[in-house]
Amino acid sequence: MRVAIVGAGAVGRSIAGELLGNGHTVMLIEKDARKVRTRAVPGAEWVQADACEVTSLEEAEMQICDVAIAATGDDKANLAMAFLAKTEFGIDRVVARINDARNEWLFTEAWGVDVAVSTPLAIVASVEGAIDVGHLVRLMALGKNARGGLGKSATNVAYSMKFVRAAKRPR
C-alpha cells in the first residue's frame, strides 16, 4: 500500500518507520526544509512541499496514494490536507491527528477525515480507565462510519484497565 504522511516531525517519522517496517511504501511530505531528514527514515520518499496547496500535492503525486495521514502539529493544516486528499485526490482512507481536543468536533467525514486520532483524548481515556476500575474505555473507532458512533463497518478499539495500587514501601 502507498501511504502519504504529511508532517515529518517525531510523530510522522515514527509512523513512517512503522509502516515501512510492515512493507508499505511511504512518502513523507514536509513543508519545513529543516525537518526534511532523509537519513532519519531510510526507504521513505521525501517531498518538501506545502500539503495545503493543491499544486504541491499534484507534484507529489498524491493521487496514486491509497492512504493519507495528516500528522502535523497544526490542526488547521491537518484538516486542510485531509479535505484536499479526500475531495481533490480521491484518497480512500484519510487519517488525521488531533492536537487540541477542543477541535475534535471538526475532524469528521465532512472534512474528509475517516479516522481521527486524538492523543490528548486517548491519554484522558487512559487516566479515566485507571480510575474507573474494570470499565471499557473507547479510544477510537475505525471504519467508514466510525465518526457516527457504532456503525456497521466500525471497529471499536477499547481496552479494560485494572488499577492495582502499589503497596506502600516502608521508609
Side-chain angles (χ1 to χ4, degrees):
M1 187 166 22
R2 183 171 172 80
V3 181
I5 301 172
V6 174
V11 173
R13 289 192 315 267
S14 178
I15 294 167
E18 291 292 324
L19 290 171
L20 285 166
N22 290 335
H24 300 287
T25 303
V26 173
M27 173 177 55
L28 275 161
I29 302 172
E30 176 56 52
K31 182 179 180 179
D32 185 352
R34 296 170 296 179
K35 290 184 182 176
V36 175
R37 301 181 204 157
T38 56
R39 291 185 199 156
V41 187
E45 175 188 345
W46 286 78
V47 177
Q48 184 188 349
D50 184 348
C52 296
E53 297 285 336
V54 174
T55 54
S56 295
L57 295 174
E58 286 172 344
E59 289 171 9
E61 297 184 320
M62 176 70 89
Q63 68 276 6
I64 64 172
C65 293
D66 303 298
V67 176
I69 301 172
T72 76
D74 181 352
D75 286 346
K76 290 176 285 199
N78 289 345
L79 279 172
M81 190 289 293
F83 186 75
L84 292 174
K86 186 64 81 173
T87 60
E88 295 294 320
F89 299 97
I91 304 297
D92 288 332
R93 194 79 166 148
V94 178
V95 180
R97 173 184 174 192
I98 304 171
N99 296 285
D100 184 338
R102 294 173 297 181
N103 294 332
E104 182 190 24
W105 67 277
L106 291 166
F107 287 76
T108 64
E109 287 182 10
W111 278 96
V113 177
D114 295 309
V115 178
V117 180
S118 173
T119 304
L121 292 177
I123 291 170
V124 168
S126 296
V127 170
E128 288 176 349
I131 294 168
D132 295 335
V133 180
H135 289 94
L136 282 178
V137 177
R138 184 171 165 264
L139 293 179
M140 70 182 86
L142 307 174
K144 287 274 185 201
N145 297 326
R147 300 297 298 162
L150 301 177
K152 291 179 184 173
S153 65
T155 301
N156 289 289
V157 177
Y159 67 95
S160 177
M161 283 191 69
K162 297 207 176 189
F163 184 66
V164 179
R165 293 184 186 184
K168 287 188 177 181
R169 294 183 187 167
R171 292 187 179 192

